[in-house]
Amino acid sequence: MLSHRQQNAQRIAALDEQAEALGLKRGMGLADARAMHPTIDVVEADPQAELSLLEGLADWCDRYTPLVSLDGQDGLFLDITGCAHLFGGERAMLEDMSSRFFQQGFDVRIGIASTAGTAWAAARFASERIVASGGEATLLAPLPLSALRIEPAIRTSLESVGLWSVGAIMALPRAPLMRRFGSKLLLHLDRALGRLEEPISPRMPVPTLSAERHLAEPVMLTEDIELLVKALAATLRADLERRGEGAREFELLLFRVDGAITRLRMRTSQPVREPQLVHKLFHERLIAVGDGFDAGYGFDLVRLCILTSAAYETSQIDLAGEIQDEAASIAMFTDRINARLGQGTILQAITVASHCPEQAVAMVPFEASGKSAAGSRSPAMPHLPSLQRPIRLFRAPEPIDVPATEMPEGPPRQFRWRRALHKVARAEGPERIASEWWLREAPTRDYFRIEDVDGRRYWLYRQGLYDGVEPTPRWFMHGIFA
């Protein structure tokens, strides 16, 4: 039995069938319960741990349908539309689900109906666990008002006027019920009877395509899993070809016989649909998991999902069946590296519309299509041939010491950088670079290309102007030409 603190009193939060047989009820004060039965075993409730357990069970229920949502703190909703035939029908699915939960040590109550409200009531209040379509009213009529999932205040008001069952509500005119008890009562009733749709929001994104393999004998070796991935990818290829698309994001779900689930997600830099390529990518992904991959007593269900897809452009192949596409080869190389070392390991530089040199280039995850995974950016500034930029641009400009110059607007005669004094032999500039007009607080920069007496060339700038309005200008080293 679980207890929690409510209204400055310790009350019963949950109890098993043996505790119910003793006359104990949920919400009863713990002191009253101990007075009735001093030997009862009570454990303090841990809502966070219970939520984690419920989410784990929801993940496990993905083996029956991807449309799984949480129902409060003690239930799950599964939309099994179009899935029951895969398990031999609704009755066979219910028995399989009950058996598997029992083997994991859970006592569950399951109801199947054409509406979520009726299924909820059948699981908690009725002996018949499967309700045929059209039989919702027959099942709900003898049940208590709690079967409608209405608020306690509304239920108390109904019981105070002698309405104790759902059938009593169904027999009354709707208009008086609406005026006295509000619209929520009729809303729950109409949803339970199927007169109104009740949306079920799945916890996980619904995959675009998926293929799965139920195994009579569990598999444990990564080599067997890779072969299954290749076979499932071959199944998905036909659907992708029919849609003219390729997969951009995969998810591999491995259901262990003891209820644990392993999820491996992977994104590609360009659309793919060849089973051999998918096999190579997941080969790298499984190697990257390494010791963290625990097969336990084996996996009895393997599912490969495509979460996102995009238009697929066909490429010419040679006589050996290999694609002669340099971009595709580079993309496959980066995908395998990302699968082994993590997404975003290989970056690419893209230009950004900014006059500030350190902000004109951004490093983003490599995408063969040229579009960054980090999102859309402003169009790049065109590079003018006359502008010379250093080979090495520092991530952040480094301050340098410059003595007073003969001409305030001219280059320095010498400067000290990293404790070394450099005498200037030649200089070009200034090249004035101002920030964007909406960033008025950023000072103006005057850049100079400097060559010292030893032939080393630098790119430095003066921040600020000698106009007496701004503070004394400061000098910075921003890059090296050679």
XYZ file of all heavy atoms in Angstrom, residues 23-110:
675
model
N -11.322 -3.704 3.623
C -12.195 -2.551 3.798
C -11.505 -1.219 3.675
O -12.115 -0.180 3.935
N -10.239 -1.218 3.280
C -9.508 0.037 3.106
C -9.809 0.622 1.723
O -10.075 -0.098 0.771
C -8.008 -0.202 3.260
C -7.567 -0.842 4.584
C -6.059 -1.046 4.605
C -8.017 0.005 5.768
N -9.767 1.949 1.637
C -10.080 2.637 0.389
C -9.052 3.721 0.124
O -8.422 4.242 1.047
C -11.482 3.256 0.437
C -12.613 2.246 0.593
C -13.959 2.950 0.615
C -15.089 1.936 0.754
N -16.424 2.600 0.783
N -8.907 4.049 -1.152
C -8.006 5.126 -1.540
C -8.536 6.457 -0.995
O -9.734 6.743 -1.070
C -7.895 5.204 -3.060
C -6.958 6.287 -3.553
C -6.894 6.328 -5.058
N -6.389 5.083 -5.614
C -6.147 4.902 -6.917
N -6.395 5.865 -7.773
N -5.678 3.738 -7.348
N -7.645 7.284 -0.475
C -8.010 8.557 0.119
C -8.265 8.488 1.611
O -8.398 9.537 2.274
N -8.326 7.288 2.177
C -8.539 7.143 3.622
C -7.297 7.606 4.378
O -6.164 7.432 3.922
C -8.854 5.684 3.953
C -9.042 5.413 5.441
S -9.278 3.644 5.786
C -10.900 3.398 5.042
N -7.507 8.195 5.534
C -6.386 8.623 6.349
C -5.571 7.429 6.834
O -6.124 6.379 7.198
N -4.260 7.587 6.849
C -3.393 6.484 7.249
C -3.596 6.135 8.726
O -3.504 4.961 9.109
C -1.928 6.859 6.977
C -0.900 5.759 7.216
C -1.189 4.542 6.346
C 0.514 6.275 6.931
N -3.883 7.119 9.561
C -4.116 6.843 10.985
C -5.349 5.967 11.173
O -5.341 5.028 11.980
C -4.263 8.164 11.741
N -6.422 6.260 10.411
C -7.627 5.434 10.507
C -7.361 4.018 10.015
O -7.869 3.035 10.581
C -8.757 6.065 9.701
C -9.162 7.427 10.236
O -8.923 7.672 11.436
O -9.691 8.241 9.457
N -6.562 3.908 8.921
C -6.266 2.579 8.387
C -5.457 1.757 9.377
O -5.716 0.553 9.570
C -5.508 2.717 7.065
N -4.480 2.375 10.061
C -3.683 1.638 11.055
C -4.521 1.290 12.292
O -4.266 0.284 12.935
C -2.468 2.471 11.451
C -1.405 2.576 10.356
C -0.122 3.163 10.908
N 0.893 3.324 9.894
C 1.698 2.341 9.468
N 1.566 1.126 9.984
N 2.607 2.575 8.547
N -5.495 2.141 12.603
C -6.362 1.813 13.732
C -7.198 0.572 13.435
O -7.477 -0.236 14.336
C -7.267 3.003 14.047
N -7.600 0.402 12.171
C -8.375 -0.770 11.786
C -7.503 -2.006 11.663
O -7.869 -3.088 12.092
C -9.094 -0.503 10.460
C -10.135 0.611 10.526
S -10.779 1.056 8.883
C -11.409 -0.529 8.334
N -6.304 -1.819 11.089
C -5.409 -2.950 10.841
C -3.972 -2.493 11.140
O -3.278 -1.958 10.269
C -5.523 -3.432 9.390
C -6.921 -3.798 8.987
N -7.510 -4.999 9.325
C -7.853 -3.114 8.269
C -8.742 -5.045 8.842
N -8.973 -3.913 8.190
N -3.515 -2.677 12.374
C -2.183 -2.176 12.757
C -1.036 -2.823 11.991
O 0.059 -2.247 11.934
C -2.106 -2.502 14.255
C -3.530 -2.695 14.688
C -4.240 -3.260 13.509
N -1.221 -4.003 11.402
C -0.101 -4.726 10.781
C 0.035 -4.448 9.285
O 0.834 -5.093 8.611
C -0.289 -6.230 10.982
O -1.528 -6.648 10.393
C -0.281 -6.566 12.464
N -0.715 -3.503 8.744
C -0.623 -3.244 7.303
C 0.750 -2.681 6.953
O 1.384 -1.989 7.748
C -1.722 -2.271 6.847
C -1.626 -0.954 7.624
C -3.099 -2.893 6.982
C -2.605 0.097 7.137
N 1.199 -3.016 5.774
C 2.513 -2.583 5.289
C 2.307 -1.353 4.390
O 1.591 -1.419 3.393
C 3.184 -3.705 4.500
C 4.614 -3.364 4.115
O 5.148 -2.380 4.657
O 5.180 -4.067 3.263
N 2.947 -0.236 4.760
C 2.768 1.031 4.052
C 4.119 1.517 3.559
O 5.112 1.487 4.298
C 2.119 2.096 4.957
C 1.905 3.398 4.183
C 0.801 1.587 5.518
N 4.160 1.975 2.301
C 5.364 2.535 1.688
C 5.047 3.947 1.214
O 3.971 4.194 0.652
C 5.845 1.668 0.498
C 7.072 2.286 -0.154
C 6.129 0.244 0.957
N 5.986 4.868 1.443
C 5.793 6.241 1.001
C 5.818 6.309 -0.525
O 6.694 5.740 -1.189
C 6.893 7.143 1.570
C 6.754 8.610 1.225
C 5.593 9.271 1.945
O 5.154 8.728 2.987
O 5.135 10.321 1.471
N 4.844 6.996 -1.092
C 4.743 7.116 -2.550
C 5.863 8.003 -3.085
O 6.271 8.978 -2.446
C 3.386 7.685 -2.938
N 6.357 7.652 -4.279
C 7.384 8.436 -4.973
C 6.838 8.783 -6.352
O 6.968 8.002 -7.303
C 8.679 7.622 -5.089
C 9.829 8.441 -5.653
O 9.579 9.554 -6.156
O 10.983 7.958 -5.615
N 6.173 9.932 -6.495
C 5.518 10.261 -7.773
C 6.471 10.255 -8.961
O 6.098 9.813 -10.049
C 4.946 11.666 -7.524
C 4.797 11.757 -6.037
C 5.939 10.968 -5.481
N 7.690 10.737 -8.790
C 8.633 10.787 -9.910
C 9.022 9.387 -10.361
O 9.092 9.098 -11.562
C 9.880 11.583 -9.506
C 10.832 11.865 -10.657
C 10.202 12.667 -11.762
O 9.440 13.600 -11.499
N 10.485 12.311 -13.011
N 9.280 8.494 -9.404
C 9.621 7.114 -9.767
C 8.434 6.414 -10.419
O 8.604 5.639 -11.367
C 10.082 6.354 -8.527
N 7.226 6.685 -9.935
C 6.045 6.073 -10.530
C 5.829 6.558 -11.956
O 5.450 5.787 -12.846
C 4.823 6.384 -9.660
C 4.874 5.725 -8.282
C 3.803 6.259 -7.352
O 2.940 7.030 -7.849
O 3.829 5.926 -6.159
N 6.079 7.860 -12.187
C 5.952 8.387 -13.548
C 6.987 7.760 -14.475
O 6.683 7.428 -15.631
C 6.097 9.906 -13.528
C 6.039 10.608 -14.887
C 4.705 10.360 -15.572
C 6.288 12.110 -14.727
N 8.218 7.591 -13.997
C 9.248 6.952 -14.810
C 8.867 5.515 -15.144
O 9.076 5.053 -16.281
C 10.594 6.987 -14.080
O 11.001 8.312 -13.826
N 8.294 4.799 -14.171
C 7.853 3.435 -14.435
C 6.732 3.416 -15.465
O 6.729 2.581 -16.384
C 7.384 2.790 -13.134
C 6.771 1.378 -13.256
C 7.783 0.400 -13.834
C 6.250 0.908 -11.910
N 5.782 4.335 -15.339
C 4.675 4.381 -16.291
C 5.164 4.716 -17.695
O 4.691 4.142 -18.684
C 3.648 5.415 -15.825
C 2.313 5.441 -16.583
C 1.584 4.110 -16.432
C 1.435 6.584 -16.093
N 6.137 5.619 -17.806
C 6.692 5.942 -19.117
C 7.454 4.747 -19.699
O 7.423 4.517 -20.905
C 7.612 7.155 -18.999
C 6.866 8.453 -18.716
C 7.807 9.622 -18.538
O 9.030 9.381 -18.328
O 7.350 10.777 -18.612
N 8.129 3.988 -18.835
C 8.789 2.780 -19.314
C 7.798 1.759 -19.844
O 8.038 1.106 -20.874
N 6.668 1.604 -19.156
C 5.630 0.698 -19.641
C 5.027 1.201 -20.947
O 4.689 0.406 -21.836
C 4.534 0.545 -18.585
C 4.950 -0.125 -17.272
C 3.789 -0.143 -16.293
C 5.470 -1.537 -17.515
N 4.900 2.525 -21.073
C 4.391 3.081 -22.330
C 5.348 2.790 -23.482
O 4.919 2.466 -24.599
C 4.174 4.584 -22.168
N 6.641 2.894 -23.224
C 7.621 2.533 -24.260
C 7.491 1.067 -24.638
O 7.576 0.707 -25.819
C 9.042 2.830 -23.766
C 9.313 4.320 -23.673
O 8.580 5.096 -24.318
O 10.244 4.706 -22.948
N 7.312 0.220 -23.648
C 7.185 -1.213 -23.928
C 5.943 -1.501 -24.757
O 5.938 -2.399 -25.607
C 7.142 -1.979 -22.612
C 6.989 -3.448 -22.784
C 7.974 -4.359 -23.036
C 5.760 -4.186 -22.719
N 7.442 -5.616 -23.139
C 6.087 -5.547 -22.957
C 4.444 -3.845 -22.495
C 5.132 -6.548 -22.970
C 3.484 -4.829 -22.510
C 3.826 -6.172 -22.740
N 4.872 -0.751 -24.552
C 3.628 -0.965 -25.300
C 3.746 -0.566 -26.764
O 2.801 -0.802 -27.538
C 2.489 -0.189 -24.639
S 1.901 -0.922 -23.095
N 4.868 0.035 -27.153
C 5.090 0.313 -28.573
C 5.106 -0.968 -29.402
O 4.959 -0.915 -30.626
C 6.409 1.064 -28.765
C 6.257 2.552 -28.491
O 5.112 2.984 -28.308
O 7.267 3.267 -28.473
N 5.304 -2.117 -28.764
C 5.308 -3.372 -29.503
C 3.915 -3.660 -30.071
O 3.774 -4.435 -31.010
C 5.779 -4.525 -28.626
C 4.838 -4.864 -27.502
C 5.177 -6.163 -26.796
N 6.561 -6.321 -26.454
C 7.345 -7.277 -26.942
N 6.854 -8.140 -27.812
N 8.595 -7.372 -26.574
N 2.877 -3.043 -29.514
C 1.514 -3.269 -29.994
C 1.034 -2.160 -30.937
O 0.325 -2.445 -31.897
C 0.554 -3.379 -28.801
C 0.868 -4.554 -27.905
C 1.509 -4.376 -26.681
C 0.547 -5.850 -28.292
C 1.797 -5.451 -25.860
C 0.846 -6.930 -27.477
C 1.473 -6.731 -26.264
O 1.770 -7.796 -25.460
N 1.406 -0.930 -30.649
C 1.003 0.196 -31.490
C 1.901 1.382 -31.170
O 2.300 1.566 -30.014
C -0.462 0.580 -31.248
O -0.764 1.786 -31.963
C -0.741 0.805 -29.785
N 2.235 2.215 -32.171
C 3.035 3.416 -31.872
C 2.216 4.528 -31.237
O 2.793 5.509 -30.762
C 3.554 3.826 -33.255
C 2.534 3.301 -34.217
C 2.022 2.029 -33.610
N 0.890 4.394 -31.219
C 0.023 5.442 -30.664
C -0.275 5.118 -29.203
O -1.290 4.495 -28.869
C -1.271 5.553 -31.471
C -1.091 5.877 -32.955
C -2.418 5.848 -33.669
C -0.424 7.230 -33.125
N 0.630 5.514 -28.329
C 0.510 5.261 -26.892
C 0.591 6.601 -26.174
O 1.473 7.415 -26.447
C 1.625 4.329 -26.386
C 1.458 4.057 -24.901
C 1.628 3.024 -27.171
N -0.341 6.843 -25.261
C -0.337 8.073 -24.468
C -0.592 7.728 -23.010
O -1.163 6.680 -22.681
C -1.399 9.056 -24.981
O -2.700 8.533 -24.775
N -0.169 8.635 -22.133
C -0.360 8.451 -20.703
C -1.777 8.855 -20.317
O -2.326 9.832 -20.832
C 0.651 9.282 -19.911
C 2.131 8.996 -20.152
C 2.982 9.875 -19.253
C 2.455 7.538 -19.930
N -2.367 8.116 -19.383
C -3.689 8.420 -18.848
C -3.550 8.669 -17.357
O -3.619 7.741 -16.533
C -4.663 7.280 -19.128
C -6.014 7.497 -18.461
O -6.430 8.661 -18.369
O -6.629 6.508 -18.015
N -3.321 9.926 -17.006
C -3.141 10.266 -15.609
C -1.874 9.647 -15.038
O -0.839 9.584 -15.698
N -1.971 9.164 -13.794
C -0.811 8.619 -13.100
C -0.814 7.099 -13.018
O 0.132 6.520 -12.489
C -0.749 9.191 -11.672
C -0.640 10.705 -11.618
C -0.652 11.237 -10.203
O -0.974 10.505 -9.259
N -0.305 12.499 -10.036
N -1.875 6.462 -13.537
C -1.943 5.011 -13.363
C -2.495 4.286 -14.581
O -2.926 3.132 -14.461
C -2.813 4.677 -12.149
C -4.242 5.197 -12.306
O -4.498 5.940 -13.268
O -5.095 4.863 -11.458
N -2.496 4.901 -15.754
C -3.077 4.236 -16.907
C -2.426 4.637 -18.210
O -1.661 5.614 -18.285
N -2.729 3.860 -19.237
C -2.237 4.103 -20.587
C -3.389 3.967 -21.562
O -4.279 3.140 -21.385
C -1.129 3.108 -20.961
C 0.141 3.098 -20.113
C 1.032 1.940 -20.537
C 0.890 4.416 -20.253
N -3.346 4.781 -22.606
C -4.267 4.655 -23.728
C -3.478 4.143 -24.931
O -2.437 4.709 -25.284
C -4.910 6.001 -24.069
C -6.127 6.306 -23.265
C -6.247 7.514 -22.591
C -7.168 5.399 -23.189
C -7.375 7.804 -21.842
C -8.309 5.680 -22.437
C -8.403 6.882 -21.770
N -3.967 3.080 -25.567
C -3.361 2.531 -26.772
C -4.392 2.557 -27.894
O -5.491 1.999 -27.741
C -2.887 1.083 -26.561
C -1.553 0.849 -25.856
C -1.612 1.264 -24.398
C -1.137 -0.613 -25.968
N -4.061 3.234 -28.976
C -4.929 3.227 -30.150
C -4.493 2.056 -31.028
O -3.484 2.126 -31.727
C -4.806 4.545 -30.905
C -5.831 4.668 -32.033
O -6.456 3.644 -32.366
O -5.990 5.774 -32.587
N -5.271 0.965 -30.984
C -4.891 -0.266 -31.700
C -5.643 -0.403 -33.011
O -5.718 -1.506 -33.566
C -5.138 -1.502 -30.811
C -6.629 -1.617 -30.457
C -4.294 -1.431 -29.548
C -6.975 -2.921 -29.745
N -6.164 0.687 -33.538
C -6.875 0.635 -34.812
C -5.943 0.127 -35.906
O -4.874 0.684 -36.142
C -7.395 2.032 -35.187
O -8.215 2.528 -34.125
C -8.194 1.981 -36.470
N -6.322 -0.943 -36.565
C -5.510 -1.518 -37.629
C -4.335 -2.347 -37.165
O -3.539 -2.795 -38.002
N -4.181 -2.567 -35.852
C -3.037 -3.328 -35.334
C -3.437 -4.683 -34.763
O -2.591 -5.576 -34.659
C -2.320 -2.528 -34.238
S -1.688 -0.918 -34.760
N -4.701 -4.844 -34.381
C -5.104 -6.064 -33.682
C -4.933 -7.313 -34.546
O -4.591 -8.390 -34.037
C -6.554 -5.944 -33.221
N -5.129 -7.181 -35.858
C -5.034 -8.374 -36.717
C -3.619 -8.925 -36.765
O -3.416 -10.102 -37.079
C -5.516 -8.034 -38.128
C -4.571 -7.152 -38.887
N -4.513 -5.780 -38.690
C -3.632 -7.442 -39.826
C -3.593 -5.268 -39.486
N -3.039 -6.249 -40.186
N -2.629 -8.103 -36.448
C -1.245 -8.579 -36.444
C -0.995 -9.564 -35.304
O -0.001 -10.306 -35.328
C -0.285 -7.394 -36.318
C -0.355 -6.341 -37.434
C 0.551 -5.172 -37.121
C 0.025 -6.962 -38.770
N -1.870 -9.581 -34.321
C -1.710 -10.465 -33.168
C -2.804 -11.524 -33.117
O -2.978 -12.184 -32.094
C -1.718 -9.641 -31.880
C -0.616 -8.631 -31.790
C -0.775 -7.361 -32.336
C 0.590 -8.941 -31.191
C 0.244 -6.428 -32.267
C 1.612 -8.010 -31.114
C 1.437 -6.751 -31.663
N -3.558 -11.663 -34.188
C -4.599 -12.677 -34.239
C -5.948 -12.200 -33.768
O -6.810 -13.026 -33.451
N -6.170 -10.892 -33.693
C -7.443 -10.354 -33.254
C -7.360 -9.692 -31.897
O -6.339 -9.762 -31.196
N -8.446 -9.031 -31.517
C -8.456 -8.273 -30.263
C -8.329 -9.184 -29.050
O -7.619 -8.869 -28.094
C -9.736 -7.441 -30.178
C -9.822 -6.333 -31.224
C -11.119 -5.568 -31.135
O -12.012 -6.028 -30.378
O -11.256 -4.523 -31.802
N -9.018 -10.323 -29.071
C -8.952 -11.241 -27.933
C -7.541 -11.785 -27.746
O -7.020 -11.834 -26.620
C -9.941 -12.385 -28.142
C -9.993 -13.408 -27.018
C -10.632 -12.871 -25.772
N -12.018 -12.462 -26.008
C -12.791 -11.975 -25.059
N -12.320 -11.801 -23.824
N -14.050 -11.618 -25.330
N -6.914 -12.171 -28.854
C -5.552 -12.699 -28.766
C -4.581 -11.610 -28.319
O -3.656 -11.867 -27.533
C -5.131 -13.278 -30.118
N -4.770 -10.392 -28.792
C -3.908 -9.295 -28.374
C -4.064 -9.028 -26.881
O -3.065 -8.825 -26.174
C -4.228 -8.040 -29.177
C -3.494 -6.787 -28.707
S -4.039 -5.296 -29.551
C -2.747 -5.138 -30.760
N -5.298 -9.033 -26.386
C -5.530 -8.782 -24.969
C -4.878 -9.861 -24.121
O -4.239 -9.560 -23.097
C -7.039 -8.713 -24.711
C -7.495 -8.303 -23.322
C -8.799 -7.514 -23.396
C -7.691 -9.517 -22.422
N -5.014 -11.134 -24.519
C -4.409 -12.217 -23.743
C -2.889 -12.151 -23.777
O -2.216 -12.402 -22.772
C -4.914 -13.552 -24.278
C -6.404 -13.775 -24.042
C -6.893 -15.058 -24.660
O -6.087 -15.711 -25.361
O -8.071 -15.418 -24.446
N -2.348 -11.807 -24.948
C -0.884 -11.684 -25.048
C -0.382 -10.547 -24.165
O 0.626 -10.698 -23.454
C -0.493 -11.440 -26.505
C 1.006 -11.281 -26.673
O 1.718 -12.303 -26.686
O 1.479 -10.129 -26.783
N -1.079 -9.415 -24.169
C -0.675 -8.277 -23.352
C -0.766 -8.613 -21.868
O 0.150 -8.311 -21.089
C -1.561 -7.073 -23.699
C -1.082 -5.756 -23.134
S -2.192 -4.386 -23.571
C -2.164 -4.495 -25.360
N -1.870 -9.255 -21.460
C -2.038 -9.614 -20.047
C -0.961 -10.590 -19.599
O -0.414 -10.462 -18.499
C -3.423 -10.217 -19.828
O -4.449 -9.325 -20.200
N -0.649 -11.569 -20.452
C 0.365 -12.558 -20.101
C 1.736 -11.926 -19.947
O 2.470 -12.225 -18.993
C 0.399 -13.664 -21.160
O 1.439 -14.572 -20.909
N 2.085 -11.054 -20.862
C 3.416 -10.433 -20.794
C 3.532 -9.517 -19.580
O 4.579 -9.472 -18.925
C 3.697 -9.667 -22.080
C 3.916 -10.571 -23.295
C 4.173 -9.745 -24.550
N 4.374 -10.576 -25.717
C 5.542 -11.086 -26.096
N 6.628 -10.835 -25.375
N 5.647 -11.827 -27.172
N 2.483 -8.768 -19.265
C 2.530 -7.927 -18.068
C 2.650 -8.787 -16.813
O 3.379 -8.440 -15.869
C 1.281 -7.053 -17.991
C 1.413 -5.728 -18.685
C 0.616 -5.407 -19.770
C 2.333 -4.792 -18.246
C 0.732 -4.182 -20.405
C 2.465 -3.563 -18.863
C 1.665 -3.268 -19.951
N 1.920 -9.894 -16.771
C 1.976 -10.775 -15.602
C 3.383 -11.348 -15.430
O 3.878 -11.453 -14.301
C 0.954 -11.896 -15.756
C 0.982 -12.894 -14.628
C 0.414 -12.595 -13.408
C 1.602 -14.131 -14.798
C 0.452 -13.507 -12.362
C 1.648 -15.046 -13.762
C 1.070 -14.738 -12.540
N 4.024 -11.733 -16.524
C 5.383 -12.276 -16.437
C 6.374 -11.238 -15.932
O 7.408 -11.594 -15.375
C 5.806 -12.797 -17.803
C 5.017 -14.020 -18.275
C 5.355 -14.412 -19.687
O 6.237 -13.834 -20.318
N 4.651 -15.408 -20.215
N 6.082 -9.959 -16.137
C 6.957 -8.900 -15.645
C 6.610 -8.473 -14.220
O 7.265 -7.583 -13.668
C 6.878 -7.686 -16.568
C 7.340 -7.952 -17.991
C 7.222 -6.724 -18.866
O 7.565 -5.619 -18.465
N 6.729 -6.902 -20.076
N 5.567 -9.069 -13.648
C 5.217 -8.775 -12.259
C 4.189 -7.686 -12.086
O 4.079 -7.124 -10.975
N 3.396 -7.391 -13.120
C 2.389 -6.340 -13.038
C 0.989 -6.961 -13.090
O 0.734 -7.890 -13.862
C 2.536 -5.338 -14.186
C 3.819 -4.559 -14.149
C 4.894 -4.920 -14.945
C 3.951 -3.459 -13.312
C 6.082 -4.208 -14.911
C 5.125 -2.743 -13.266
C 6.199 -3.107 -14.066
N 0.105 -6.410 -12.263
C -1.299 -6.789 -12.285
C -2.048 -5.682 -13.018
O -2.172 -4.555 -12.506
C -1.828 -6.950 -10.861
C -3.302 -7.353 -10.847
O -3.796 -7.842 -11.881
O -3.946 -7.183 -9.802
N -2.527 -5.942 -14.218
C -3.131 -4.910 -15.054
C -4.586 -5.249 -15.339
O -5.005 -6.417 -15.260
C -2.366 -4.754 -16.388
C -0.940 -4.306 -16.138
C -2.389 -6.051 -17.188
N -5.341 -4.232 -15.661
C -6.719 -4.370 -16.096
C -6.838 -3.704 -17.455
O -6.510 -2.520 -17.598
C -7.671 -3.723 -15.083
C -7.592 -4.355 -13.691
C -8.484 -3.635 -12.698
N -8.363 -4.215 -11.360
C -9.006 -3.754 -10.293
N -9.815 -2.707 -10.414
N -8.846 -4.343 -9.113
N -7.314 -4.459 -18.423
C -7.326 -4.008 -19.805
C -8.755 -4.003 -20.323
O -9.528 -4.931 -20.061
C -6.444 -4.922 -20.690
C -5.020 -5.019 -20.108
C -6.384 -4.406 -22.123
C -4.143 -6.017 -20.818
